[in-house]
Amino acid sequence: MTARPLIGVSTYLESGARWGVWELEAALLPSGYPRLVQRAGGLAAMLPPDDPERAAAAVARLDGVVIAGGPDVDPSRYGAERSERTGPPAHLRDAWELALIRAALASGTPLLGICRGMQLLNVALGGTLVQHLDGHVAEVGVFGRHPVKPVPGTRYGDIAPEPVSVPTYHHQAVDRLGDGLTVSAYAEDGTVEAVELPGPPWVLGVQWHPEMGEDVRVVQALVRA
């Protein structure tokens, strides 16, 4: 039997999570992420925030890495002043996930960034972000949908060659593109919806939330890689 690839997924670290009679600090991951990895043929492993110096050792044990969605990236990470519309910083998570991204890039480990994960990939490669964008959140706490159009000839364009309606919930987006990245999908309003590094290694970021939908092609491609 062929072993299923082990895919690490970064997680939240929340100060107060409740289950049963307990309310404690917890490492959390919405179940859509591991289920998506499982549906795509992989084994899912949670990667809670840790010492960034341990990122390379963690990535070395994995076949692929997913940087999950979550809070806004600290603007200081890309040399910007904080906008009043930007959420509170998540310093531990920023540091850990940036280290995971850099370790994956250095080792050639397949890497997928989802929403915040795509934004962090862009920042890790020297890009910047738009700190507030209207029209990409249906309402607070509710995922919306909108179409994205692939760029022909890109990795994402090969995965999903047709326009696709995707689950979305974000108010920030790529501004200046990071070094070496190529845009591989756009929203109807011109917002960058997917970025990638051409050629090996396998590196892709998507602005939407595939874990909230039925289309598993992006993560299947990661698992195959």
Side-chain angles (χ1 to χ4, degrees):
M1 182 180 295
T2 302
R4 288 179 170 235
L6 182 63
I7 309 298
V9 187
S10 64
T11 76
Y12 300 70
L13 191 62
E14 296 293 339
S15 59
R18 178 180 291 277
W19 63 98
V21 299
W22 303 103
E23 183 170 347
L24 298 168
E25 185 177 44
L28 296 176
L29 183 65
S31 62
Y33 289 100
R35 286 175 178 165
L36 179 62
V37 169
Q38 293 159 358
R39 287 163 54 207
L43 291 172
M46 292 175 64
L47 301 174
D50 201 338
D51 185 335
E53 293 185 358
R54 297 173 181 161
V59 170
R61 299 187 181 193
L62 301 169
D63 298 306
V65 176
V66 174
I67 305 300
D72 294 342
V73 179
D74 187 346
S76 68
R77 294 285 181 179
Y78 49 95
E81 295 293 325
R82 177 176 300 277
S83 163
E84 62 181 15
R85 305 294 293 273
T86 295
H91 296 302
L92 288 175
R93 190 167 172 192
D94 281 355
W96 173 238
E97 291 180 335
L98 284 167
L100 288 173
I101 289 170
R102 290 169 178 142
L105 293 175
S107 63
T109 303
L111 172 66
L112 172 64
I114 292 177
C115 197
R116 163 190 164 87
M118 183 184 100
Q119 295 164 8
L120 267 177
L121 171 63
N122 190 60
V123 169
L125 291 171
T128 62
L129 303 179
V130 176
Q131 291 193 50
H132 183 74
L133 180 72
D134 288 317
H136 287 249
V137 173
E139 57 182 289
V140 175
V142 177
F143 284 89
R145 297 191 74 92
H146 66 66
V148 298
K149 184 176 181 180
V151 175
T154 60
R155 175 176 289 116
Y156 176 71
D158 291 340
I159 294 169
E162 77 287 355
V164 177
S165 177
V166 297
T168 182
Y169 191 89
H170 65 96
H171 81 113
Q172 298 196 332
V174 166
D175 187 8
R176 187 182 72 243
L177 203 61
D179 295 340
L181 287 172
T182 296
V183 177
S184 48
Y186 290 96
E188 290 182 328
D189 63 2
T191 300
V192 173
E193 289 284 339
V195 298
E196 61 189 59
L197 287 177
W202 196 99
V203 177
L204 176 65
V206 297
Q207 183 61 74
W208 63 91
H209 285 268
E211 81 282 1
M212 297 303 298
E214 298 303 316
D215 190 341
V216 301
R217 288 178 292 178
V218 166
V219 180
Q220 281 178 333
L222 170 72
V223 169
R224 284 195 299 269

